[in-house]
Amino acid sequence: MKERIKNALEMLTTNKGEDWFTVLEEPKSEKIIQFTYDEGYGLQLDLPVVALQPEELEKAEKLMGEYGISKREIEPPEDDCCCCSDEHEHGEDCDCNCCDGEEKCTEKFESFNEKIESNDKAVEIAYRVFKEVYGMSDDTAINVTIFR
């Protein structure tokens, strides 16, 4: 797992330009940690609180505290919904609790969100999130999605 995380973040940070984004996900449980990368800014960690169960949140607060990272209230993106894909169809059965299908999300949300100074530190944090927060083993398969 750790090598897969390392390879993903190396690939992400060798891209040129802005607005690169990766999701590291355990596919069965859909547990994630995300990173963004802009060539001029660097690497940014994002662990949305909404993705965590209460006991995972406790563990994440402790772990992130070791790195000086605390929860932040994040404004939703102006041009996109914060918790659904553009392909998501809103309607009576929609359970995303953010939009009514016509308007973009306006609710703030909490996330562990911090600029990370090195790939090694980012790999360490992501690995520890999967191991210590989500309780996964070293042989857990991690899916990697990188997009712009």
Side-chain angles (χ1 to χ4, degrees):
M1 175 176 37
K2 192 171 192 175
E3 192 66 25
R4 180 104 164 122
I5 293 168
K6 179 181 177 192
N7 291 340
L9 293 178
E10 284 176 358
M11 185 180 300
L12 179 71
T13 57
T14 58
N15 288 323
K16 301 293 181 196
E18 298 179 347
D19 299 327
W20 290 98
F21 190 83
T22 190
V23 177
L24 306 174
E25 175 190 43
E26 192 286 317
K28 291 179 184 163
S29 65
E30 299 182 351
K31 298 296 183 182
I32 65 164
I33 187 167
Q34 308 170 129
F35 291 89
T36 59
Y37 178 73
D38 288 332
E39 190 175 14
Y41 178 78
L43 190 61
Q44 180 99 7
L45 169 142
D46 182 42
L47 180 62
V49 170
V50 70
L52 303 171
Q53 298 297 318
E55 63 277 0
E56 293 169 339
L57 178 56
E58 272 186 51
K59 293 175 185 176
E61 287 174 329
K62 182 179 178 207
L63 174 65
M64 293 300 178
E66 293 178 26
Y67 296 97
I69 301 170
S70 56
K71 288 185 295 187
R72 296 181 187 198
E73 197 168 74
I74 307 292
E75 295 283 338
E78 289 182 22
D79 61 344
D80 198 9
C81 183
C82 65
C83 59
C84 333
S85 70
D86 290 336
E87 298 168 5
H88 179 83
E89 291 188 27
H90 300 278
E92 288 181 22
D93 297 328
C94 178
D95 63 356
C96 74
N97 295 323
C98 77
C99 308
D100 66 6
E102 299 297 323
E103 298 177 19
K104 295 295 182 182
C105 182
T106 58
E107 290 185 29
K108 295 179 183 179
F109 60 97
E110 288 185 311
S111 181
F112 295 96
N113 192 283
E114 186 78 28
K115 182 176 181 180
I116 306 298
E117 297 301 326
S118 74
N119 274 19
D120 289 342
K121 185 175 178 182
V123 169
E124 178 183 318
I125 294 170
Y127 176 73
R128 289 187 68 194
V129 165
F130 280 108
K131 291 280 289 181
E132 297 172 30
V133 175
Y134 296 140
M136 298 183 182
S137 65
D138 281 328
D139 62 348
T140 299
I142 300 294
N143 285 346
V144 176
T145 306
I146 296 176
F147 52 97
R148 189 174 194 188

